[in-house]
Amino acid sequence: MKSSLSNKVMLIYGAVFLVIFTLTFGLSYTGTVGKLESDLNDTNLALLKQVDQKIEVAFRQTEKDLLTLMDELEFVYFMLDSYLDDAQRYSNFYGLSTKLKNFINTNPQFSSIYVYSAVSGHILTDKAYVKDSPDVDNWLDDYLEMPVYLKWLTTHQLWEGNGNKDVITLVRSYPTISSPGYRKGMVAVNINEKVIYDMVKAVYEDSNVGYMFIIDSDGNVVTHDDKTQIYRNLKELPHIKSVLSKRGSGFFTGKLNGVSQSIFYRDSDYTGWKLISILPESQMYKPIKVTRNLLIAFAAGMVLLALIVLFYVNRWTFKPLDRLVGKMSGTYKLNQTQERTDAGLTYLEKVFDQLVLDREHLQQHVRDSRPVLKWRIMMDMLVGYRTDYQAVLHHLESVGVHLYPDRFLVCTAEISKEGVDLRAKDETLYTYAFCNVAEELINLENAGAAIDLGEGRAAVIFSFAEGDAELNHLRALAILELILDVMKKQFDLIVTVGVGRGCSEMKDIPQSYDESQKALHYKMVFGQHSVISIEDLQPLDSQEYYRLIRTADRITDALKQTDIVKLKEYINETFREALDSNLPPELIRQLSFDLIMKSVQAVGSIGIDLKESMSQLDSQYELISRSESLKVMETIVFSFLEEMAAKINDRRVQRGSNDTIERMLMYIGEHFQENDLSLDRLAQEFHLSPTYISKQFKEYTESNFIDYLISIRISAAQKLITGKNRKVNEIAGAVGYVNTRSFLRTFKKYTGMTPLEYRKWADKSQADNAD
């Protein structure tokens, strides 16, 4: 036979292989190039949607602000032309004119405002007052009979004192909900066309291909990249006709001036305008064409290589069969050649390896998008778009962020380098390093996340599982001081941090964020590389009651230590100072109950079950309310706290000992003067993980590591203050504080007094004891 078996097998396998390879290439091409094209179209439609949403938010806010202004009493008098005399008329005109000017000044996007009274025929603007006159072109009168309550007018020219301006106008009837024939006047707010154009350019700022414009339902241009197109009617253009005939959003292709263009459009549900983006296909699909050509070239090369390999493998695999057929038919002559080793279809293995690699790359792209999603979620929380913890919880989990449901605090950091003007790339890199360091240190004992705000700034959200706002504020300040120290030592960076107040709910995060930014503005006063709390910007309340209730911290500390002698001494001193300060009986009763409540909260934070004690609070409150003697109230408070101290002792007796934590406590006592003492350092010293140490430390000491370290340092500072007459900055450095202001703030919160006040108090106490 003329055709050998090996040739037939090669043809069959070659045909099957080509079919399989063609299908594989077709699917890969569709999944790659087709998906890229679809994503590109979706991205352009999403940009139009973003422009639409941005304009709608601005316009709705304009309408809301205008409705608020229309509720003013001066506005009603002017519209109804209802005055008792000329004096009231002029007074009302002056008041309304002032409010119109304030309205324009507080809303930079507004160009001018017109108020027209159909009753009097007068027009009042933020710049002028025009009486009814036939010589005046009253353009607002034309809209008295419009069938709707409000209308957004397409770009038109309007005289505003020093020349004509291109404006977009919101016309609103008065009263706000009134039909034609019942209206008393009209109000118009003018927005400069450039404001709308800037909103568009803010979205398309990175694009220099094609152009984008907005038209109304009649084809009139509202705003355009080409300013010569304003006031033109484009409805006769073929592609504009197609857009006007369509509803919703979408895209189509067409030829403009002989060039293929992709035309994207979207209807605005609020204004009824059409948002149109036109992009040249040659530029738009250039990346896709490059990908397509590479795929085709790669496929052609693979086909050629496959045919060569197939021919080689087939020739040496089926040679024994050809010999058998040749012997039987007598037509095949044996070739005495040395047998070669079968090369196999190794190229197929390479093809499948490449497919797996492509899939891994796709999964990597998905993972790479997580930081962007995390940034978006955190920014929404900071600006108040996400306020429900349960609604945002699964989004946080998907990007690996853990936050507790309440007790939040926000700080804003600014990163710089001394004597160096950082480039944008370096700012991004250093901010990324700061965010990683911050999240690592925060999540050792608490929870939180940090994101890059751009331009060398970062926002950090703290979240605490327990503690009141004041205690959590101290914890955050201590952690931030440690973060600043790490950034200085590891990266030689200067980090300035503004800290807002703590909040109990997620909806209050924007307020804390605003406070942190306000605090950061004071870096010129407090200096760089420092932690600036919003509380540093406000003077403390000087009332005696506030000062006394601050001393409750030492009472709770004595309670946690079950030091009954000090507990009784501190309670006695507090009540004696209340008596010496001539506090009213009502405030003394409130002070007594506040001491009980703060002690209950402090003991509850260390894991003591206080259900029985909490049930007694109502009876304690009644006993205090009925008490007529300061000594009786002091006895009630001491008895209740003594009972809780007994429960703490019982709990500690049952708990047993922990040699590892005891050794850590000794280590802390020996090294608390060193400012870099942290959980990470303990972990390295004792060869344990920071998380394990934090859990064991809390269980054994009934306190977080940061809280324990602060209490040790403040106790040591108290001893140094009452000893030699040393300077405050020397004492701060001696107990492990690099920043003196941070030491002063912490000392004040823990003792209720500044170091100087404490020194005077201690000297007075020693003198009293000597007497």
Side-chain angles (χ1 to χ4, degrees):
M1 54 191 247
K2 300 294 184 183
S3 178
S4 66
L5 180 61
S6 62
N7 291 335
K8 292 181 179 179
V9 171
M10 186 175 66
L11 290 175
I12 294 173
Y13 276 90
V16 172
F17 175 79
L18 288 176
V19 170
I20 294 174
F21 192 89
T22 302
L23 290 175
T24 303
F25 172 75
L27 292 174
S28 300
Y29 180 87
T30 303
T32 304
V33 177
K35 185 64 169 58
L36 286 174
E37 184 175 352
S38 175
D39 289 346
L40 196 56
N41 292 330
D42 291 343
T43 299
N44 281 279
L45 290 175
L47 289 174
L48 286 181
K49 181 179 179 182
Q50 187 175 351
V51 173
D52 184 24
Q53 291 175 342
K54 197 169 186 178
I55 294 176
E56 181 176 346
V57 168
F59 280 8
R60 287 191 182 277
Q61 185 62 44
T62 300
E63 182 184 348
K64 179 180 177 182
D65 294 341
L66 186 58
L67 289 174
T68 302
L69 178 64
M70 291 170 70
D71 287 337
E72 298 291 341
L73 187 58
E74 292 89 346
F75 201 99
V76 178
Y77 284 156
F78 178 82
M79 282 298 188
L80 301 181
D81 195 31
S82 175
Y83 309 102
L84 295 176
D85 50 32
D86 289 340
Q88 185 187 13
R89 179 191 303 273
Y90 295 138
S91 175
N92 188 75
F93 280 5
Y94 178 79
L96 182 55
S97 177
T98 301
K99 289 187 177 182
L100 293 181
K101 290 177 181 178
N102 292 337
F103 179 79
I104 294 301
N105 292 335
T106 56
N107 295 274
Q109 72 271 24
F110 299 159
S111 175
S112 60
I113 182 170
Y114 282 65
V115 181
Y116 165 58
S117 171
V119 177
S120 64
H122 298 165
I123 297 176
L124 184 63
T125 75
D126 58 303
K127 299 180 180 68
Y129 166 64
V130 183
K131 290 187 177 181
D132 185 19
S133 173
D135 298 331
V136 177
D137 183 15
N138 186 2
W139 59 278
L140 282 175
D141 190 59
D142 298 338
Y143 295 97
L144 275 175
E145 302 302 322
M146 67 180 184
V148 292
Y149 303 133
L150 65 92
K151 184 175 183 180
W152 282 96
L153 305 182
T154 307
T155 304
H156 60 103
Q157 283 199 338
L158 190 66
W159 179 264
E160 291 190 358
N162 55 357
N164 288 325
K165 289 188 178 180
D166 299 330
V167 297
I168 297 167
T169 303
L170 168 63
V171 180
R172 180 91 201 192
S173 64
Y174 184 87
T176 55
I177 301 178
S178 56
S179 302
Y182 297 94
R183 293 169 180 165
K184 304 300 181 183
M186 301 296 293
V187 186
V189 174
N190 301 307
I191 302 177
N192 197 315
E193 178 269 339
K194 187 176 182 302
V195 174
I196 308 303
Y197 179 73
D198 290 342
M199 291 183 186
V200 175
K201 293 305 292 180
V203 176
Y204 285 88
E205 60 181 355
D206 295 329
S207 175
N208 55 5
V209 179
Y211 51 93
M212 190 272 176
F213 58 94
I214 302 174
I215 61 174
D216 63 11
S217 57
D218 295 325
N220 297 310
V221 175
V222 177
T223 186
H224 201 291
D225 290 337
D226 183 3
K227 297 304 178 183
T228 62
Q229 300 295 322
I230 297 178
Y231 303 114
R232 284 193 58 189
N233 188 293
L234 306 179
K235 68 180 180 180
E236 296 302 322
L237 297 178
H239 60 285
I240 300 299
K241 281 185 179 180
S242 299
V243 171
L244 291 175
S245 65
K246 300 177 185 297
R247 294 292 179 268
S249 64
F251 68 96
F252 60 93
T253 58
K255 283 188 175 291
L256 301 180
N257 299 325
V259 179
S260 295
Q261 309 273 1
S262 290
I263 301 152
F264 298 85
Y265 63 90
R266 177 181 177 84
D267 282 337
S268 174
D269 296 332
Y270 178 68
T271 61
W273 295 344
K274 294 277 189 178
L275 286 75
I276 303 172
S277 175
I278 300 179
L279 300 172
E281 285 192 352
S282 60
Q283 296 295 324
M284 178 178 173
Y285 294 117
K286 186 175 180 180
I288 297 178
K289 290 180 180 178
V290 172
T291 303
R292 180 191 63 191
N293 294 337
L294 288 176
L295 285 174
I296 293 175
F298 177 77
M302 289 298 294
V303 168
L304 180 62
L305 178 62
L307 291 177
I308 294 173
V309 173
L310 179 63
F311 175 82
Y312 178 84
V313 171
N314 180 74
R315 178 179 178 82
W316 295 103
T317 301
F318 291 94
K319 183 177 291 187
L321 293 177
D322 279 337
R323 291 198 190 103
L324 178 62
V325 172
K327 289 179 180 178
M328 294 178 63
S329 62
T331 59
Y332 184 82
K333 302 298 183 180
L334 281 176
N335 240 340
Q336 299 297 329
T337 59
Q338 187 177 358
E339 291 189 359
R340 303 178 185 177
T341 305
D342 185 7
L345 302 177
T346 56
Y347 71 96
L348 280 179
E349 182 180 359
K350 295 179 180 179
V351 170
F352 286 115
D353 287 342
Q354 186 63 42
L355 290 175
V356 173
L357 184 61
D358 290 341
R359 185 173 181 273
E360 291 175 354
H361 288 165
L362 181 60
Q363 291 176 338
Q364 182 63 37
H365 289 321
V366 174
R367 289 192 295 269
D368 291 343
S369 66
R370 290 180 62 185
V372 178
L373 182 58
K374 172 188 174 183
W375 182 90
R376 181 71 270 168
I377 294 172
M378 301 299 290
M379 282 301 301
D380 287 349
M381 292 168 58
L382 291 173
V383 300
Y385 289 152
R386 297 176 186 260
T387 58
D388 186 352
Y389 176 80
Q390 294 300 328
V392 78
L393 178 59
H394 68 284
H395 294 295
L396 293 173
E397 292 175 347
S398 67
V399 296
V401 174
H402 170 62
L403 295 178
Y404 295 110
D406 48 22
R407 300 182 184 90
F408 302 98
L409 183 143
V410 182
C411 69
T412 304
E414 187 174 85
I415 295 123
S416 61
K417 202 163 189 177
E418 188 173 3
V420 178
D421 189 10
L422 296 177
R423 297 176 300 173
K425 183 183 295 185
D426 294 332
E427 285 181 343
T428 303
L429 180 62
Y430 289 138
T431 307
Y432 175 78
F434 170 83
C435 292
N436 285 342
V437 171
E439 289 184 351
E440 181 179 356
L441 294 178
I442 291 170
N443 289 302
L444 288 177
E445 291 191 317
N446 304 288
I451 60 170
D452 185 355
L453 298 177
E455 298 181 352
R457 287 196 171 198
V460 183
I461 297 180
F462 286 80
S463 180
F464 303 92
E466 59 185 17
D468 57 17
E470 184 179 345
L471 179 59
N472 290 334
H473 196 85
L474 279 179
R475 292 171 177 169
L477 294 177
I479 294 172
L480 289 171
E481 292 284 353
L482 187 58
I483 293 173
L484 263 61
D485 185 61
V486 172
M487 296 302 293
K488 182 65 177 177
K489 290 181 178 179
Q490 298 295 330
F491 305 98
D492 195 26
L493 292 176
I494 297 174
V495 182
T496 310
V497 183
V499 185
R501 291 185 180 87
C503 54
S504 58
E505 297 180 5
M506 183 173 285
K507 66 182 180 62
D508 296 324
I509 284 179
Q511 180 179 352
S512 181
Y513 177 52
D514 291 340
E515 291 174 346
S516 71
Q517 291 180 313
K518 178 182 177 182
L520 189 59
H521 291 161
Y522 281 75
K523 65 180 181 179
M524 295 181 64
V525 178
F526 293 93
Q528 292 185 329
H529 201 68
S530 59
V531 179
I532 307 170
S533 171
I534 189 65
E535 295 184 358
D536 294 336
L537 312 182
Q538 300 177 358
L540 293 175
D541 192 348
S542 60
Q543 296 180 0
E544 285 297 320
Y545 176 80
Y546 183 83
R547 187 183 65 80
L548 289 174
I549 198 61
R550 298 289 293 177
T551 63
D553 290 341
R554 60 178 182 174
I555 295 176
T556 57
D557 289 340
L559 177 62
K560 290 180 181 179
Q561 296 170 8
T562 64
D563 190 341
I564 302 300
V565 175
K566 283 188 177 181
L567 183 64
K568 188 171 184 178
E569 177 186 347
Y570 291 155
I571 293 174
N572 180 263
E573 288 177 1
T574 301
F575 278 88
R576 187 173 66 249
E577 291 180 14
L579 182 62
D580 294 339
S581 302
N582 295 320
L583 286 181
E586 293 78 12
L587 282 183
I588 294 179
R589 291 190 180 93
Q590 183 62 41
L591 173 64
S592 303
F593 193 70
D594 284 345
L595 291 176
I596 289 178
M597 288 302 298
K598 282 184 171 290
S599 300
V600 169
Q601 293 172 357
V603 174
S605 68
I606 62 177
I608 303 298
D609 186 5
L610 295 177
K611 291 182 180 179
E612 181 180 352
S613 299
M614 292 294 289
S615 64
Q616 299 175 6
L617 289 180
D618 288 340
S619 61
Q620 297 296 319
Y621 185 82
E622 291 183 6
L623 288 174
I624 293 172
S625 300
R626 292 197 303 267
S627 300
E628 298 296 333
S629 168
L630 183 67
K631 195 64 179 175
V632 172
M633 285 187 277
E634 180 181 344
T635 302
I636 293 172
V637 173
F638 175 74
S639 299
F640 188 84
L641 268 58
E642 187 178 29
E643 179 182 347
M644 287 194 291
K647 292 183 179 180
I648 294 174
N649 263 331
D650 293 340
R651 165 76 180 273
R652 290 173 178 170
V653 169
Q654 296 173 3
R655 183 182 58 205
S657 62
N658 188 321
D659 292 339
T660 301
I661 300 300
E662 287 291 346
R663 287 190 290 113
M664 288 184 185
L665 295 179
M666 292 178 61
Y667 185 85
I668 293 171
E670 295 171 356
H671 298 274
F672 70 88
Q673 304 93 338
E674 301 168 10
N675 60 69
D676 61 344
L677 183 60
S678 63
L679 271 178
D680 283 335
R681 181 167 164 184
L682 287 180
Q684 294 175 3
E685 184 70 25
F686 292 92
H687 307 292
L688 297 170
S689 71
T691 304
Y692 177 79
I693 293 177
S694 176
K695 180 179 178 182
Q696 293 296 316
F697 197 95
K698 176 67 181 292
E699 182 177 341
Y700 186 75
T701 65
E702 301 164 352
S703 172
N704 286 332
F705 168 75
I706 289 293
D707 297 341
Y708 182 82
L709 181 58
I710 291 174
S711 65
I712 289 293
R713 287 174 170 172
I714 297 302
S715 297
Q718 288 175 310
K719 295 178 181 178
L720 293 175
I721 289 172
T722 57
K724 298 179 181 179
N725 192 16
R726 302 175 66 176
K727 295 181 180 180
V728 174
N729 57 347
E730 294 178 355
I731 295 174
V735 297
Y737 283 90
V738 177
N739 191 313
T740 303
R741 188 174 66 257
S742 177
F743 167 72
L744 291 173
R745 180 169 52 230
T746 305
F747 191 91
K748 176 84 173 181
K749 290 184 182 296
Y750 266 74
T751 65
M753 293 176 279
T754 66
L756 294 179
E757 291 173 345
Y758 184 85
R759 177 175 288 164
K760 292 179 181 179
W761 172 83
D763 292 342
K764 183 177 179 297
S765 298
Q766 290 177 0
D768 292 343
N769 292 334
D771 293 340

